[in-house]
Amino acid sequence: MRNEERENRPGGGIFLAIGPLAGLGIGMALGQPTIGVIGGVVAGAAAAAALWAMTR
C-alpha cells in the first residue's frame, strides 16, 4: 500500500445500483421489463466506466 494520501474520487457504483431499477421502471411502462433491466445494467455500467475514465 502506498504511503501517499488517497485523493477523494467519486464512485460510480450508484449508477450500477440505480440503472437496473430505472430500466425496470421504463421497461414496465413499455411492457418489456426484462429488456429494461438489461438496458439499465448496460447504461449504468457505461456511466460508471465513463466516470472512472474521467477521474483517472
Side-chain angles (χ1 to χ4, degrees):
M1 193 149 165
R2 293 188 245 168
N3 290 334
E4 304 170 6
E5 277 190 48
R6 296 187 71 180
E7 296 178 24
N8 287 333
R9 296 183 184 171
I14 190 69
F15 298 119
L16 295 173
I18 291 179
L21 295 175
L24 177 63
I26 293 169
M28 287 179 71
L30 298 175
Q32 296 289 329
T34 304
I35 302 281
V37 170
I38 292 170
V41 169
V42 170
L51 180 65
W52 172 78
M54 288 188 314
T55 60
R56 189 165 186 254

